Amino acid sequence: MARPKKNVACMGDAPLTKAECILVAARQVFLEAGYAAASMDAVAARANVSKATIYAHFENKRSLFEAVISGRCEETFANIGVPEDYTDARQALTHLAEHFLGLLLAPEALAIHRVVLGESPRLPEVGEAFYAAGPVRAHRLIDHLLMDLTRRGLLAVPDQEIPIAGDLFLAMLKCDLHTRALLLLPPSKYSIQMIAKVAVDMFLARYGVKG
Amino acid sequence: MARPKKNVACMGDAPLTKAECILVAARQVFLEAGYAAASMDAVAARANVSKATIYAHFENKRSLFEAVISGRCEETFANIGVPEDYTDARQALTHLAEHFLGLLLAPEALAIHRVVLGESPRLPEVGEAFYAAGPVRAHRLIDHLLMDLTRRGLLAVPDQEIPIAGDLFLAMLKCDLHTRALLLLPPSKYSIQMIAKVAVDMFLARYGVKG
DNA sequence: GTCTATATACGGATAGAC
DNA sequence: GTCTATCCGTATATAGAC
C-alpha cells in the first residue's frame, strides 16, 4: 500500500503518510545537526510520532539517514535543466552557468553537501548516491551541451577533450563563492552573474570559434 | 613553561609534552570519526593519558577540537610555496598548479576539509580559521603571481580582474578530482598533470600574451 | 598535574499493551 | 502500526586522592 494513513499534524496541500512525515522531520534534523549529533528523539518529536513508530518504518538510524539523503539528492538536483536551441555559445554557456550556480548555492543543497562530505568516510554509499545524483548528472549535461554546440559549429572542443573541458568549466563556476557559502561565511563581492561572465569568457577564449 | 614534562609513550625524535600528545591523539580521533562521534575516552586512550588529564589542559571537547583544527590548518597549508624567477608564464602557472593540487589531495588535508565543512554550521570559528589558513593564503599567492607575471610582461591580466582570474584558476584545478577525493571515490582517469595542463591552456588562452 | 572512580545525562533500540 | 515505558551502553565532565 502506497499511502496507508494520513497524519493530521503533517497535512498540507498533499497529505503525508507517517513515513513521509518521518522523512521530512529527519531531513530537517539531520541537515541541521549533522548525522552523529542528530537524535532519534529529536526526529520523533519533530514528526509528532513516537520513536517506536520510526523503528517500525526504518531499520535504524543509519538507514533512515540514507533514505533521507538519497531521496533529497534526487529532488534537489533533478532540476538541472538543459538549454535548448541556442544559436550562440556564449548565451548557452551563460544560461547553464547561472542556473547551475543557483542550484549549488541553495541553502538546502549546501546543507546536503556539508553533511554528505562530513560523513562520507563512515557512509560511503551515501557519498556515492550524492555523487551520482549531483556531479554525474551535471557532467552529463555539460558534456552534452559542449558536444551539441561543437557539432553545430558554434564551439570548437576536440571530442576527446569534452569531458575534461566540461569538468573545468563547472569547476570554475564554484570558485570561492561556493567555498564561502559552504563555510557559511559572508558572500564575497562577486555575484553569480559576474562569475559566470568571466568563466564563459575564459572558456570561449580557449574553445570558442573565431567570429 | 613551554615544555613542562615529557611523556615516554609519545617520545619520538622530538619529545612531546602531555598537551602535545593529547593534541596529536585528538587530531587522529577527530579526523577519523568526525567531531560529534569522537569521544574523549578515545582521545585519552590514544594519548595514553586519563580523561581528567585532558580536561586539565583543555576546557572541554569543543575547545580541544578548535585547538586541533586551527593548529592543523596552519601546518597543512603552510607549505604552499611561491614559484620564483620564472621567465615563462606557462611554467610558473603549471608549477603552482601541480603543487597546489598535491597539497589539496593529501589525505590529511582532505580529512580536515571534510570535518570542517561538516561542522561549520555549529562551529563557525573553525570554519573561519580554515578559510584563513587555506583559501585566503592560496588566493594571496596566485594573486601575487599573476600580478608579478603581468608586470613583467609575461601575462596580460587586467589589474581589476586579477582576484577573480586567480580565483577561477584555482577553482579549475580542483574540478572533479577534488570532489571524488573528498567523497573517497576511486580517482578519475585524469592525473594532476593532465588537469594542470588543460587548466593552464585555458587560462593562457584568455590571459596569455601573444607569442 | 595526573590518576581512579563516579555523577549525571542522553542516545539507540526494544518490549509489550492496544 | 502506534503508543508508553524502559533497558543498557556510552558520553561529557568532575570529585577527590596522591
Side-chain angles (χ1 to χ4, degrees):
Chain A
M1 47 181 165
R3 330 190 98 251
K5 276 190 185 172
K6 313 299 170 63
N7 182 336
V8 177
C10 289
M11 270 182 26
D13 292 343
L16 299 178
T17 65
K18 276 248 153 78
E20 288 166 333
C21 285
I22 293 169
L23 279 171
V24 170
R27 181 176 80 223
Q28 296 172 357
V29 172
F30 281 130
L31 292 187
E32 278 171 24
Y35 174 69
S39 78
M40 299 297 265
D41 290 274
V43 174
R46 189 152 336 183
N48 283 328
V49 297
S50 72
K51 257 196 301 186
T53 301
I54 300 180
Y55 283 98
H57 289 269
F58 299 91
E59 192 183 344
N60 51 29
K61 182 182 178 180
R62 177 179 171 141
S63 72
L64 175 58
F65 181 68
E66 288 174 354
V68 164
I69 295 298
S70 32
R72 206 54 191 175
C73 284
E74 290 296 331
E75 291 174 43
T76 301
F77 296 113
N79 288 328
I80 301 185
V82 200
E84 298 174 7
D85 289 340
Y86 283 101
T87 54
D88 176 29
R90 173 177 300 277
Q91 195 186 354
L93 290 172
T94 303
H95 178 105
L96 179 66
E98 294 180 356
H99 189 185
F100 175 73
L101 254 182
L103 279 179
L104 228 66
L105 297 177
E108 197 177 83
L110 293 169
I112 291 181
H113 208 136
R114 281 183 213 108
V115 71
V116 168
L117 284 185
E119 292 304 322
S120 56
R122 268 87 52 197
L123 303 173
E125 319 80 33
V126 172
E128 284 164 34
F130 171 83
Y131 187 77
V136 167
R137 202 181 302 220
H139 285 104
R140 263 205 300 264
L141 210 74
I142 182 72
D143 287 359
H144 181 273
L145 179 62
L146 295 183
M147 204 152 39
D148 197 54
L149 288 170
T150 296
R151 190 170 45 78
R152 288 154 65 189
L154 301 169
L155 208 60
V157 189
D159 265 21
Q160 294 176 329
E161 222 166 312
I162 283 185
I164 197 167
D167 187 3
L168 296 200
F169 180 66
L170 294 184
M172 269 196 280
L173 299 175
K174 294 190 191 174
C175 69
D176 208 41
L177 207 59
H178 191 227
T179 303
R180 292 183 67 97
L182 280 174
L183 291 169
L184 287 171
L185 300 174
S188 70
K189 54 186 173 186
Y190 299 116
S191 65
I192 290 183
Q193 285 74 24
M194 178 72 160
I195 299 287
K197 186 200 176 313
V198 179
V200 170
D201 282 344
M202 182 125 64
F203 191 85
L204 288 180
R206 174 73 180 86
Y207 296 112
V209 292
K210 323 295 176 193
Chain B
M1 49 180 165
R3 331 189 97 250
K5 276 191 182 168
K6 315 297 170 61
N7 182 334
V8 177
C10 288
M11 271 182 25
D13 292 343
L16 299 178
T17 65
K18 275 248 154 79
E20 288 166 333
C21 286
I22 293 169
L23 279 171
V24 170
R27 180 176 80 224
Q28 297 172 356
V29 172
F30 281 130
L31 292 187
E32 278 171 24
Y35 174 69
S39 78
M40 299 297 264
D41 290 272
V43 175
R46 189 154 333 185
N48 282 330
V49 296
S50 72
K51 258 195 298 185
T53 301
I54 300 180
Y55 282 98
H57 289 270
F58 299 91
E59 193 183 341
N60 50 32
K61 181 181 177 180
R62 176 179 170 144
S63 72
L64 174 60
F65 181 68
E66 289 174 353
V68 164
I69 294 298
S70 30
R72 206 55 191 173
C73 285
E74 291 295 331
E75 292 173 42
T76 300
F77 296 112
N79 289 328
I80 302 186
V82 201
E84 297 175 8
D85 291 340
Y86 283 102
T87 54
D88 177 27
R90 171 177 300 276
Q91 195 186 356
L93 290 172
T94 303
H95 178 106
L96 180 66
E98 293 179 357
H99 189 185
F100 175 74
L101 253 182
L103 280 178
L104 228 66
L105 296 178
E108 197 177 82
L110 292 169
I112 291 181
H113 209 135
R114 280 182 214 109
V115 69
V116 168
L117 283 185
E119 292 304 321
S120 56
R122 269 85 55 195
L123 302 172
E125 319 79 34
V126 172
E128 285 164 31
F130 171 84
Y131 187 77
V136 167
R137 202 180 303 221
H139 285 103
R140 265 205 299 265
L141 209 75
I142 182 71
D143 287 0
H144 180 272
L145 178 63
L146 294 184
M147 204 151 38
D148 197 53
L149 288 171
T150 296
R151 191 170 43 78
R152 289 156 63 190
L154 301 170
L155 208 60
V157 189
D159 265 22
Q160 295 175 327
E161 222 165 311
I162 282 185
I164 198 168
D167 187 3
L168 296 201
F169 180 67
L170 294 183
M172 268 195 284
L173 299 175
K174 294 189 192 173
C175 68
D176 208 41
L177 207 58
H178 191 226
T179 303
R180 291 183 69 96
L182 281 174
L183 291 170
L184 288 170
L185 301 174
S188 70
K189 54 186 172 184
Y190 299 116
S191 65
I192 291 182
Q193 286 73 24
M194 179 71 162
I195 299 285
K197 187 200 175 316
V198 179
V200 170
D201 281 345
M202 183 126 64
F203 192 84
L204 288 179
R206 173 73 181 83
Y207 296 112
V209 291
K210 324 293 176 196

